[in-house]
Structures are given as C-alpha cells and as structure tokens.
Amino acid sequence: MVGFNLLVVVALAYVVLLFLVAFWGDKQARLGKGGWLRSPVVYTLSLSIYCTAWTFYGAVGYAARSGLEFVTIYLGPTLVMVGWWWILRKLVRIGRAQRITSIADLISSRYGKSTALGVIVTLLAVIGTTPYIALQLQSVVLSFDVFAGHATVDGGQAANPKATAFWIAVGLAAFTVLFGTRNLDANERHHGVVTAIALEAVVKLVALLAVGVFVVWGVGGGPGEIARTIETSDIAVWDMQAGRWVTMIFLSAAAFLTLPRMFQVLVVENVDETQLATASWAFPLYMFAMSLFVIPIAAVGLSTLPAGSNPDLYVLTVPLHFEQGGLAMLTFLGGFSSATSMVIVASIALSTMVSNHIVMPIWLSARSGGAAMSGDVRRLVLIARRFSIMAVLGLGWLYYSLSGGGAALASIGLISFAGVAQVLPAMVGGLYWRGATRVGAAMGLILGFAIWAYALFLPSFGEAGIISSRVLAEGPFGIGWLRPQAFFGITGIDPVVHAIFWSMTANTLAFIIGSILSFPRPVERLQGAQFVNVFEHSARTQGWTQGEVESEDLLVMAQRIMGAREAQELFQEETARQGREGYLPETTPDFLRTLERELSGAVGAATAHAMVSQIVGGASVSVEDLMAVADETQQILEYSNQLEAKSEELTRTMRQLSEANDKLTVLSIQKDAFLSQISHELRTPMTSIRAFSEILKEGELGEGKTREYSGVIQEEAIRLTRLLDDLLDLSVLEAGQVTLNVETGNLGNVIDRAVRAGASGSDGRVIAIRRVKSREDLTIETDTGRLAQVFINLIANARKYCDAAAPELTIDVTDDGDAIEIDFIDNGGGIPPASQSVIFEKFSRLSDQQKAGGAGLGLAICREIMDKLGGSIAYLPGQGGAAFRVTLPR
Amino acid sequence: MDKQILLIEDEPNIIEAISFILKRDGWQVSTHANGETALDAVRRVAPDVLVLDVMLPGRSGYEILQDLRADPETASIPVLMLTARGQKKDRETADRLGATRFMTKPFSNAEVLSALREITGAG
C-alpha cells in the first residue's frame, strides 16, 4: 500500500508541477512564442474538462449500476462536435465578433445587452455548477480516504473530510486566482491555465488507459476472457430504455454547449476557428479512449471486489485491491486532474460572470457618477474576479459540507447538467431566430429553471431535505397534479427524464410564445441580426500575433486621415524612438495608443479605435464600436449637412434674387419701351386728328379739302380704335384671361373665312391665294374663331408687305398625324434673317408706317393665340418669300 | 416773310397738316420723310428753321440733331423738335443736344406757328 504521506507529497508535487506549467504557458504567450498554444491539439485537450471526476470515477460506477447507458454522456458531445459546422462554428464566430466573455454574456449580449438576462443566467450557472464543484471536492476527498486507509470498502467517511475538502478548495482557489486573474485580457484568454489543463487531460487519459490495460491483460486474462466476465456480470442484463437514452444524449449535448466551463474552453479560449475542424474528430476520439475500458473495469470490479463496495471508486480500488501502488497513484492523479481542471475552469467562468453581471453593475449603479470610468476600474474588476473565485469555491465547499457527500456522484452530475441545459433554448434560438426576444428568453429561462428546481434539484436533497416526502407523494397543499415527480398525474417516468422533459418543453414554449408576443427593442434587433447573420458580418477569425500587424497598412490609413506629411512624421518619429530606420515602427501598444489619439483628433475616438483594431490583427469591431462610429459620423454628417443646406439655401436665395432682379430690370425696360411705344402709337393719330380738326374748325376751306381732311380724321380715328382693340386683345391673351370657344370644325372652312377677310383690303392691295383644298379637309377641334384671326393676320400681312410684282400666297396644309402644319408662304423678298427673331415682339413693325396701317401687334397676338390653342407659330426660313408655319395639335 | 422751313417727318397726315398751316402762314415749306438722307436735305435746302421729328425711319431725330450741331455750316439753324414720346427724358435729350424748342404731339397749330415765329425772330 502506498502511504498516505507519500500520497500527499505526490499530490503536492503534482500541484507544483501544474503551477510551473501554467506559469510557463503564460510566459510563452506573453513573449509571443506561444505558437504551439494555438495548436488544435491543445485546444482539443482543453475540451477534456468535460470529463471531470464524475466521468473519471463515475462512469465506471454508472456502468456498474446501469450498464451501457453511461455512453450517452459521451454521445451527446460527440454529436455536437461532429456537427460543429452548424452550431459551434457560429458560436465561436459570434464569441469573437462580439467579444463574448461567458455564456451569460452571450445571452445578455444577444438579447440587447440585457442586464436582467445576464443576472438570470449567472445565477442559474452558479446554482447549477455549485453541486458539481462540491462533487469534485468530494471525489478528491474520497480518493484521499481510499488511500489513507480510512476509507473502507463500504465507502465510509474520513475522520475529517470537511477539512480535507477545505484545504483542497483553498489550493484550487489560489491556483485559479493566480492564473485566472493574472491580467484582464480583452479576449479573456488564459494561456497558462489552458496549458495546465492540457497536461491534466493527458494525465487522466493515460491513467484511465493504464488501469484499463491492467484490468484487461493483467487481471482479466485478455479481451476474450474479459468479454466472458462482462457477459456473466450484472452489466449485461441492464436493459436499454429508449426514452432515457434519448433524454441523456440530448441532455449531455445541451450541457456540452451550455456548461459555463465548456463555453469557456470552447468559445472564449478558442484562438482560431479552424481548430474546431480538428477537434471535431479528435475530441470524440479522446472520449472514446476515455470510455474504452469503462465496462471491463466495472465488470472486474463487480466480480473481484466485495459486494457493497462503492462502484464509483472502482478505478482506484481495483488497482489497490491487486496491490498495484504505482498504478493506483497514477489513477489518483488522473482523478485529481479531472477534478481540479474542472473546478479551475468552472470557477474562472463563473467568476467572470459573477463579476461582470452582478458585481460590476451593482458597483457602477451604486456610484453616483454612473458609468464614469476611470483608471481604477481595472483593479476593481480584478478584485471582483478574485473574490468571485473564492466565493464560488466557498459555495462548492459549503454545499459539500452541508449535503454530507451522500448522494451518488452520477446523479448530481445529471442534475447539474439539467440545470444549465435550461439556457439551451435561449442560446440556440438566439443564434438562428431573429425573432427571439429578451422577454421570451427571460420567460423560458425562469420557467425552465423553476421546474428544474422544483422537480429535480430540490427533491435531490432527499426526503429530509427541502421538499418533504409528503409533498413528493401528494403534491404541494395536496394538489396531486403538481407532484414534483409526476406532473399532471403522469407517473412511472424516470424522475430525471420527467424533469428534463417538462422543464425543457415549458422553457421552449415560453421562449417561443414570449418572443412572438413581445416586441424587440432596436438594440435587440441589431444584436439579433449580428448573431443570426454573423457569417455575413464578420470575416473568418484568425489568431492574432504581433508579427502580423501591418505597420504599412496603418501608415496608409493614417496618411489618408491625417495628411501624408503629418502621418509620415509621426511614424518616422516613432521609428527613430525605437532605434530603427525608415518609416515603419513596431506596432507596440504604446504606439497604437498614440496613433489612435492622433487619429481621434480627426475622426473621433470611436472611429479611430475601430480603424486601428480593424487593421491590427484583424480584430473585429464590436457593435458598440460601430454604434459609436455611427454616432460620430452622424454628428459630422449632420453638421456638414446643415452647412451644406445653409450654403445651398444661400446660393438659391442669391440666384432667386438675381433672377428676380434681372426680371425686374427687363420688365422695367420692357415697360418703358412699351409705354413709349404706346404713347407714340396713340399720339401720332391724335396729332393728325387735332391738327386737321383745328384747320376744319377755322373754316375757309374748299369742299375738296374739307372732305379730304375729314377723311384723314376718320381714318386716324379708325386706326386708333384698331390699336386699342389690339392692345386690349393682347393684354387679355397675355393675362391668360381669355376663354376659348372650342368647337369641332373643318380646317378648309376656317381658311376660307380667313381668305375672305384678309386677301383684299381697303387699301386696294390684293394678293392671289393658292391652296390645295383637298388637303385642307381635316376635322379640327379648337377655337376656330381665334384660329381664323391668326390666319387673317398672316394673309393680311402678306397682302400688305409682299413686294412681288404679282403678289401670291401659297397656303399648304400637312397632316403628320401628331399635328397639322399650315404653311403661309408668299413670293416676295421675305424677312431679313436679322429681323426674323423680332417679328413676334410687340410693335415690331419692320417696314414703314403707311403700308402697315397697324400698330405692330398682329404677330404678337398670333403667337399668344397659338400658345393658348396648344400649338405654335414660327417663321419658316429658307422658303424664298416670307413664310410662316402654324402648328396645330391634333 | 418768305422764310424757308424744312419739315422732316414721316407721317403723311402730319406732313400734310403742318405744311398746310405753315403755307397758309406764308412759309416756304420743304418736306423730307427719311432720317438717313435728312442731313443732305438740310444742306441742300439750307432752311431758316428746321422742324424735326424724333422717330424717323432709318435714323433718329436726335442723331440728326447731333450731326447738325457738329457741322459749323448747320450749327446755327434753329430746330423745333417734335415727338410723340412725351417723356421727360426725351425733352432732356433734346435740350442737351441743342434743340431750340421741343414740342410734344399732339400740339395746337397756333402753338407751332408762334414757336416757329419766335425762334426765327420773325415776330
């Protein structure tokens, strides 16, 4: 037998070794030499904290009690690992993208940074994990006892197990505080701890395999013999209950994802997503190796050890029974490794959650300043972590002390699993369903947790515990359908299956219903999208080492923001300070801080931080970063938008003013010219009328002169009247007050009318009209009177101004489908090009007064009329004589 | 009296009216209706007084007046300007260019006659 004192020495030596390994691992990582730390092998080995003392010792006990069912505990995680592409990959990607520090942080973060959810998950994790920590302490105590000889085959207690457990807890707390809170990494990674755990993983596997080999070949007489031993033992007769198997596989898979310690190693400690691919086959292989000899050990234990000895300790007692001291020592270390590694990682994970979700929020809200962060927060967080670690281990020890360590190890493990598995619906739902809300998650968690506590956790304290046997048998207050292990009166189901079924069902339903009925806040929506669509948002995560930092990229970016000269100066100064040449310094944290500060002067602190972190190691930018960037950008944009709007407004106002001024000037000139013209047009006939009327009044004229002068007066009076008519007509047309008398008519008839009125006049001049009447036979819908007025004007103009010896006007009609064109072309000399542009202006009389006999308003009126009729009138150059085209829409 | 007067005006009816009252008053009346050739007419006729319309085809009365005053041969000829555009600035322009008298149409025949007598000193 190995002496107890030797055992203590070996255990202590092993602990010292762990300290050294952890210390060394930390140092390697800090020096940047920890490339091997990123290897998938270390990652896979760190996952082995899934295999705790419960699996190390308990699996054999489980097999001895329930046969092959213990395999389900390995099958669940195997399924998760094999299917890593679907859930684990997403979890790890989100963990990186969102800088997730724990499972509580994941849930809180997904549901809009909900403080309440963080607290709920933290409490759930603490309550679910505490018994498990107690279990680990118990296993170490029991194994000590076995060695010390105090423990007998009937599983009796050590003289002072609580003291042993206490000192173990203290030792573990010291280790965890030392390596778990050494520093506050942004990514919460603990290289030293992971290194030590990897070592422990190897130790426990080697120990279990060694016992297995010893049992099969040393005691059992080879595989064939062992098989026969198994056949004849009780193990073979245990039947497999399908319901329990399915439940256990589901439970272990759920726990694998939701256990705080598993989340810590799977997601938080993960340095490279690609490690998952290796772990997906390597870890199931590890678990296979761990379970390979479980049945043989159980069978041999059952057959060789006295009846009634504790099957949970077969791994240890079988070698001891066969006087294999060295092997037993190795086994003890294996079990010790299993227990300690679990406790260390679990307390790190829990302390992170407790300090981040309970201590810090309380401390921050207790301070009047609220979130006013200062330099001492870092220290405070570390202190909070350390106390949390001690508190978690203290709780575990307390639980162990109070529960007395009586329950079978395996059942505590399952209860614990079922507790933390309540996080599963909120977690998986949060990853794949954007509609999942905070309210739904909280409802599901609380309900599932309550049912778990009522139906499984509280009854586990035994009949003398919190729930009395009366309540178990008859239900609370005699309500039968609320019996903790037989809801709705359904009896005969295994209590664990019963509790898991009801808690998970209620949890999931409450989660879904709550999510559907509630409305997510904006930040929840945003986070939901970030989580569910994480692969669209973030690049594949890569490990970060300082060597990969692209100084040049930083320079390129800095040049864009600060200006080339300033950026180059900054970089050159830093390079010189580092004792190097050129423009590219080492990207030390100091330099990055300086750069960030310089950049923030230009783009704002959040943007600067986001930009630098984007380049440095490709660390992804968190939502908070992006939100801050958006805020800053928004402010800048708003400001520049305001400026731009102001400047646009000014420009617009100026343009409007300038246009108005131009218009006024033009109008003023036009008004002056118009008044001047009107004055002239009115005064000229008035002059004749006055002069001749004075002459006539004096008498003394012959009859001929009297008649002639009276004729002049009459003629001028008519001219005045016509002028006034035209002026009135034009002003009405220009003011748009004219009412059109639209009717259906024939174009030919309108032209007939115009020719009758315009082709000959009182002045005796006549013009010949040439028409193709067949082409004029078109039905038109317009104000035919106004149209005729235009035609008359054109015909009269031709008659008055055409200077040909035999004046002739051709009226030609073309119907092109869209419009009717009526051309008036005479055979005279036409209008000089310089004048063609002014003929439609008012008083633009080109030839001399006498011939015209009008005020020069005719074409202006024509243009107004055609405008009102929806058509147009234009001078048609290049036709020989004067040519006008009237266009009438169809 | 036998004073020679040149009437530069393009409106036939006004020419007729003014010619009639001037001839009846004993003036020798010549008429010219074109702005462009008006200066030649002035030199050819060498009138004692000139009646000048502002709005003429070809050339405005103001331009003709300016040239008249610039030429020593015609600078001293008294000019009565007639205009149908009775605005203030027209009168000012006429004064500045050296018009002897300025009248706005329509005018009374008596006014025209007395103005012409006055500026020619014909009593």
PDB file of all heavy atoms in Angstrom, chain B residues 29-53:
ATOM      1  N   VAL B  29     -42.275 125.965 -97.578  1.00  0.00           N
ATOM      2  CA  VAL B  29     -42.161 124.683 -96.895  1.00  0.00           C
ATOM      3  C   VAL B  29     -41.555 123.603 -97.785  1.00  0.00           C
ATOM      4  O   VAL B  29     -42.020 123.383 -98.896  1.00  0.00           O
ATOM      5  CB  VAL B  29     -43.540 124.207 -96.407  1.00  0.00           C
ATOM      6  CG1 VAL B  29     -43.416 122.883 -95.655  1.00  0.00           C
ATOM      7  CG2 VAL B  29     -44.183 125.262 -95.521  1.00  0.00           C
ATOM      8  N   SER B  30     -40.477 122.985 -97.291  1.00  0.00           N
ATOM      9  CA  SER B  30     -39.951 121.762 -97.943  1.00  0.00           C
ATOM     10  C   SER B  30     -40.170 120.619 -96.972  1.00  0.00           C
ATOM     11  O   SER B  30     -40.119 120.797 -95.742  1.00  0.00           O
ATOM     12  CB  SER B  30     -38.462 121.888 -98.219  1.00  0.00           C
ATOM     13  OG  SER B  30     -38.205 123.057 -98.940  1.00  0.00           O
ATOM     14  N   THR B  31     -40.378 119.440 -97.491  1.00  0.00           N
ATOM     15  CA  THR B  31     -40.545 118.284 -96.593  1.00  0.00           C
ATOM     16  C   THR B  31     -39.572 117.171 -96.956  1.00  0.00           C
ATOM     17  O   THR B  31     -39.140 117.035 -98.104  1.00  0.00           O
ATOM     18  CB  THR B  31     -41.984 117.715 -96.666  1.00  0.00           C
ATOM     19  OG1 THR B  31     -42.204 117.246 -97.988  1.00  0.00           O
ATOM     20  CG2 THR B  31     -43.002 118.776 -96.281  1.00  0.00           C
ATOM     21  N   HIS B  32     -39.251 116.391 -95.957  1.00  0.00           N
ATOM     22  CA  HIS B  32     -38.403 115.230 -96.169  1.00  0.00           C
ATOM     23  C   HIS B  32     -38.826 114.150 -95.186  1.00  0.00           C
ATOM     24  O   HIS B  32     -39.021 114.409 -94.006  1.00  0.00           O
ATOM     25  CB  HIS B  32     -36.918 115.600 -95.972  1.00  0.00           C
ATOM     26  CG  HIS B  32     -35.987 114.533 -96.430  1.00  0.00           C
ATOM     27  ND1 HIS B  32     -35.578 114.441 -97.739  1.00  0.00           N
ATOM     28  CD2 HIS B  32     -35.396 113.516 -95.772  1.00  0.00           C
ATOM     29  CE1 HIS B  32     -34.763 113.394 -97.865  1.00  0.00           C
ATOM     30  NE2 HIS B  32     -34.638 112.816 -96.671  1.00  0.00           N
ATOM     31  N   ALA B  33     -38.969 112.891 -95.634  1.00  0.00           N
ATOM     32  CA  ALA B  33     -39.553 111.862 -94.783  1.00  0.00           C
ATOM     33  C   ALA B  33     -38.557 110.798 -94.308  1.00  0.00           C
ATOM     34  O   ALA B  33     -38.918 109.897 -93.567  1.00  0.00           O
ATOM     35  CB  ALA B  33     -40.715 111.172 -95.509  1.00  0.00           C
ATOM     36  N   ASN B  34     -37.297 110.928 -94.732  1.00  0.00           N
ATOM     37  CA  ASN B  34     -36.351 109.867 -94.400  1.00  0.00           C
ATOM     38  C   ASN B  34     -35.240 110.368 -93.499  1.00  0.00           C
ATOM     39  O   ASN B  34     -34.624 111.406 -93.772  1.00  0.00           O
ATOM     40  CB  ASN B  34     -35.771 109.304 -95.712  1.00  0.00           C
ATOM     41  CG  ASN B  34     -34.966 108.045 -95.445  1.00  0.00           C
ATOM     42  OD1 ASN B  34     -33.912 108.109 -94.835  1.00  0.00           O
ATOM     43  ND2 ASN B  34     -35.477 106.907 -95.910  1.00  0.00           N
ATOM     44  N   GLY B  35     -34.961 109.622 -92.444  1.00  0.00           N
ATOM     45  CA  GLY B  35     -33.930 110.015 -91.479  1.00  0.00           C
ATOM     46  C   GLY B  35     -32.538 109.953 -92.053  1.00  0.00           C
ATOM     47  O   GLY B  35     -31.700 110.807 -91.799  1.00  0.00           O
ATOM     48  N   GLU B  36     -32.314 108.901 -92.833  1.00  0.00           N
ATOM     49  CA  GLU B  36     -30.969 108.657 -93.344  1.00  0.00           C
ATOM     50  C   GLU B  36     -30.450 109.787 -94.245  1.00  0.00           C
ATOM     51  O   GLU B  36     -29.291 110.185 -94.155  1.00  0.00           O
ATOM     52  CB  GLU B  36     -30.954 107.331 -94.120  1.00  0.00           C
ATOM     53  CG  GLU B  36     -30.223 106.222 -93.380  1.00  0.00           C
ATOM     54  CD  GLU B  36     -30.475 104.880 -94.021  1.00  0.00           C
ATOM     55  OE1 GLU B  36     -31.633 104.589 -94.414  1.00  0.00           O
ATOM     56  OE2 GLU B  36     -29.507 104.114 -94.126  1.00  0.00           O
ATOM     57  N   THR B  37     -31.333 110.285 -95.034  1.00  0.00           N
ATOM     58  CA  THR B  37     -30.905 111.313 -96.012  1.00  0.00           C
ATOM     59  C   THR B  37     -31.245 112.737 -95.579  1.00  0.00           C
ATOM     60  O   THR B  37     -31.109 113.694 -96.349  1.00  0.00           O
ATOM     61  CB  THR B  37     -31.567 111.042 -97.378  1.00  0.00           C
ATOM     62  OG1 THR B  37     -32.977 110.916 -97.146  1.00  0.00           O
ATOM     63  CG2 THR B  37     -31.035 109.766 -98.006  1.00  0.00           C
ATOM     64  N   ALA B  38     -31.705 112.830 -94.300  1.00  0.00           N
ATOM     65  CA  ALA B  38     -32.180 114.129 -93.815  1.00  0.00           C
ATOM     66  C   ALA B  38     -31.105 115.209 -93.851  1.00  0.00           C
ATOM     67  O   ALA B  38     -31.365 116.358 -94.242  1.00  0.00           O
ATOM     68  CB  ALA B  38     -32.724 113.957 -92.395  1.00  0.00           C
ATOM     69  N   LEU B  39     -29.831 114.838 -93.476  1.00  0.00           N
ATOM     70  CA  LEU B  39     -28.750 115.833 -93.431  1.00  0.00           C
ATOM     71  C   LEU B  39     -28.493 116.447 -94.810  1.00  0.00           C
ATOM     72  O   LEU B  39     -28.304 117.658 -94.950  1.00  0.00           O
ATOM     73  CB  LEU B  39     -27.471 115.194 -92.894  1.00  0.00           C
ATOM     74  CG  LEU B  39     -27.337 115.167 -91.355  1.00  0.00           C
ATOM     75  CD1 LEU B  39     -26.058 114.449 -90.961  1.00  0.00           C
ATOM     76  CD2 LEU B  39     -27.351 116.589 -90.793  1.00  0.00           C
ATOM     77  N   ASP B  40     -28.508 115.568 -95.822  1.00  0.00           N
ATOM     78  CA  ASP B  40     -28.307 116.067 -97.187  1.00  0.00           C
ATOM     79  C   ASP B  40     -29.388 117.093 -97.552  1.00  0.00           C
ATOM     80  O   ASP B  40     -29.102 118.147 -98.141  1.00  0.00           O
ATOM     81  CB  ASP B  40     -28.365 114.903 -98.195  1.00  0.00           C
ATOM     82  CG  ASP B  40     -27.289 113.870 -97.912  1.00  0.00           C
ATOM     83  OD1 ASP B  40     -26.231 114.263 -97.343  1.00  0.00           O
ATOM     84  OD2 ASP B  40     -27.492 112.678 -98.236  1.00  0.00           O
ATOM     85  N   ALA B  41     -30.616 116.731 -97.143  1.00  0.00           N
ATOM     86  CA  ALA B  41     -31.742 117.636 -97.439  1.00  0.00           C
ATOM     87  C   ALA B  41     -31.534 118.987 -96.767  1.00  0.00           C
ATOM     88  O   ALA B  41     -31.772 120.037 -97.371  1.00  0.00           O
ATOM     89  CB  ALA B  41     -33.040 116.987 -96.967  1.00  0.00           C
ATOM     90  N   VAL B  42     -31.043 118.961 -95.519  1.00  0.00           N
ATOM     91  CA  VAL B  42     -30.808 120.212 -94.799  1.00  0.00           C
ATOM     92  C   VAL B  42     -29.780 121.061 -95.544  1.00  0.00           C
ATOM     93  O   VAL B  42     -29.952 122.253 -95.758  1.00  0.00           O
ATOM     94  CB  VAL B  42     -30.330 119.937 -93.359  1.00  0.00           C
ATOM     95  CG1 VAL B  42     -29.937 121.251 -92.667  1.00  0.00           C
ATOM     96  CG2 VAL B  42     -31.423 119.238 -92.565  1.00  0.00           C
ATOM     97  N   ARG B  43     -28.660 120.418 -95.968  1.00  0.00           N
ATOM     98  CA  ARG B  43     -27.601 121.165 -96.661  1.00  0.00           C
ATOM     99  C   ARG B  43     -28.103 121.711 -97.988  1.00  0.00           C
ATOM    100  O   ARG B  43     -27.761 122.821 -98.387  1.00  0.00           O
ATOM    101  CB  ARG B  43     -26.388 120.244 -96.888  1.00  0.00           C
ATOM    102  CG  ARG B  43     -25.717 119.897 -95.556  1.00  0.00           C
ATOM    103  CD  ARG B  43     -24.304 119.387 -95.758  1.00  0.00           C
ATOM    104  NE  ARG B  43     -23.774 118.956 -94.462  1.00  0.00           N
ATOM    105  CZ  ARG B  43     -23.803 117.711 -94.040  1.00  0.00           C
ATOM    106  NH1 ARG B  43     -24.291 116.749 -94.805  1.00  0.00           N
ATOM    107  NH2 ARG B  43     -23.337 117.428 -92.853  1.00  0.00           N
ATOM    108  N   ARG B  44     -28.926 120.900 -98.660  1.00  0.00           N
ATOM    109  CA  ARG B  44     -29.408 121.308 -99.971  1.00  0.00           C
ATOM    110  C   ARG B  44     -30.377 122.483 -99.850  1.00  0.00           C
ATOM    111  O   ARG B  44     -30.267 123.483-100.545  1.00  0.00           O
ATOM    112  CB  ARG B  44     -30.103 120.102-100.648  1.00  0.00           C
ATOM    113  CG  ARG B  44     -30.370 120.293-102.140  1.00  0.00           C
ATOM    114  CD  ARG B  44     -30.997 119.016-102.738  1.00  0.00           C
ATOM    115  NE  ARG B  44     -32.251 118.634-102.102  1.00  0.00           N
ATOM    116  CZ  ARG B  44     -32.439 117.508-101.452  1.00  0.00           C
ATOM    117  NH1 ARG B  44     -31.455 116.623-101.323  1.00  0.00           N
ATOM    118  NH2 ARG B  44     -33.601 117.242-100.926  1.00  0.00           N
ATOM    119  N   VAL B  45     -31.288 122.334 -98.884  1.00  0.00           N
ATOM    120  CA  VAL B  45     -32.333 123.350 -98.758  1.00  0.00           C
ATOM    121  C   VAL B  45     -31.816 124.612 -98.033  1.00  0.00           C
ATOM    122  O   VAL B  45     -32.213 125.728 -98.346  1.00  0.00           O
ATOM    123  CB  VAL B  45     -33.541 122.764 -98.013  1.00  0.00           C
ATOM    124  CG1 VAL B  45     -34.616 123.815 -97.758  1.00  0.00           C
ATOM    125  CG2 VAL B  45     -34.104 121.592 -98.808  1.00  0.00           C
ATOM    126  N   ALA B  46     -30.870 124.391 -97.057  1.00  0.00           N
ATOM    127  CA  ALA B  46     -30.374 125.474 -96.209  1.00  0.00           C
ATOM    128  C   ALA B  46     -31.511 126.314 -95.641  1.00  0.00           C
ATOM    129  O   ALA B  46     -31.658 127.508 -95.950  1.00  0.00           O
ATOM    130  CB  ALA B  46     -29.372 126.364 -96.959  1.00  0.00           C
ATOM    131  N   PRO B  47     -32.396 125.688 -94.824  1.00  0.00           N
ATOM    132  CA  PRO B  47     -33.597 126.383 -94.327  1.00  0.00           C
ATOM    133  C   PRO B  47     -33.291 127.392 -93.244  1.00  0.00           C
ATOM    134  O   PRO B  47     -32.241 127.356 -92.629  1.00  0.00           O
ATOM    135  CB  PRO B  47     -34.417 125.221 -93.769  1.00  0.00           C
ATOM    136  CG  PRO B  47     -33.398 124.222 -93.320  1.00  0.00           C
ATOM    137  CD  PRO B  47     -32.234 124.355 -94.249  1.00  0.00           C
ATOM    138  N   ASP B  48     -34.239 128.293 -93.013  1.00  0.00           N
ATOM    139  CA  ASP B  48     -34.108 129.238 -91.903  1.00  0.00           C
ATOM    140  C   ASP B  48     -34.445 128.561 -90.572  1.00  0.00           C
ATOM    141  O   ASP B  48     -33.995 128.969 -89.525  1.00  0.00           O
ATOM    142  CB  ASP B  48     -35.044 130.434 -92.113  1.00  0.00           C
ATOM    143  CG  ASP B  48     -34.648 131.215 -93.383  1.00  0.00           C
ATOM    144  OD1 ASP B  48     -33.482 131.607 -93.452  1.00  0.00           O
ATOM    145  OD2 ASP B  48     -35.514 131.343 -94.270  1.00  0.00           O
ATOM    146  N   VAL B  49     -35.287 127.582 -90.686  1.00  0.00           N
ATOM    147  CA  VAL B  49     -35.665 126.838 -89.476  1.00  0.00           C
ATOM    148  C   VAL B  49     -35.989 125.395 -89.862  1.00  0.00           C
ATOM    149  O   VAL B  49     -36.399 125.110 -90.966  1.00  0.00           O
ATOM    150  CB  VAL B  49     -36.845 127.519 -88.743  1.00  0.00           C
ATOM    151  CG1 VAL B  49     -38.104 127.459 -89.575  1.00  0.00           C
ATOM    152  CG2 VAL B  49     -37.055 126.887 -87.362  1.00  0.00           C
ATOM    153  N   LEU B  50     -35.777 124.518 -88.874  1.00  0.00           N
ATOM    154  CA  LEU B  50     -35.983 123.089 -89.139  1.00  0.00           C
ATOM    155  C   LEU B  50     -37.018 122.535 -88.160  1.00  0.00           C
ATOM    156  O   LEU B  50     -36.952 122.782 -86.953  1.00  0.00           O
ATOM    157  CB  LEU B  50     -34.645 122.357 -88.939  1.00  0.00           C
ATOM    158  CG  LEU B  50     -34.505 120.929 -89.413  1.00  0.00           C
ATOM    159  CD1 LEU B  50     -34.640 120.842 -90.936  1.00  0.00           C
ATOM    160  CD2 LEU B  50     -33.162 120.364 -88.986  1.00  0.00           C
ATOM    161  N   VAL B  51     -38.027 121.819 -88.694  1.00  0.00           N
ATOM    162  CA  VAL B  51     -38.948 121.074 -87.825  1.00  0.00           C
ATOM    163  C   VAL B  51     -38.553 119.598 -87.928  1.00  0.00           C
ATOM    164  O   VAL B  51     -38.558 119.031 -89.017  1.00  0.00           O
ATOM    165  CB  VAL B  51     -40.418 121.284 -88.251  1.00  0.00           C
ATOM    166  CG1 VAL B  51     -41.330 120.429 -87.393  1.00  0.00           C
ATOM    167  CG2 VAL B  51     -40.789 122.754 -88.117  1.00  0.00           C
ATOM    168  N   LEU B  52     -38.164 119.001 -86.793  1.00  0.00           N
ATOM    169  CA  LEU B  52     -37.567 117.662 -86.825  1.00  0.00           C
ATOM    170  C   LEU B  52     -38.336 116.689 -85.935  1.00  0.00           C
ATOM    171  O   LEU B  52     -38.511 116.919 -84.733  1.00  0.00           O
ATOM    172  CB  LEU B  52     -36.104 117.769 -86.371  1.00  0.00           C
ATOM    173  CG  LEU B  52     -35.252 116.506 -86.356  1.00  0.00           C
ATOM    174  CD1 LEU B  52     -35.128 115.919 -87.765  1.00  0.00           C
ATOM    175  CD2 LEU B  52     -33.868 116.806 -85.789  1.00  0.00           C
ATOM    176  N   ASP B  53     -38.818 115.636 -86.549  1.00  0.00           N
ATOM    177  CA  ASP B  53     -39.479 114.568 -85.778  1.00  0.00           C
ATOM    178  C   ASP B  53     -38.404 113.676 -85.161  1.00  0.00           C
ATOM    179  O   ASP B  53     -37.314 113.528 -85.698  1.00  0.00           O
ATOM    180  CB  ASP B  53     -40.396 113.744 -86.707  1.00  0.00           C
ATOM    181  CG  ASP B  53     -41.219 112.729 -85.940  1.00  0.00           C
ATOM    182  OD1 ASP B  53     -41.467 112.934 -84.713  1.00  0.00           O
ATOM    183  OD2 ASP B  53     -41.631 111.711 -86.538  1.00  0.00           O
TER     184      ASP B  53
END
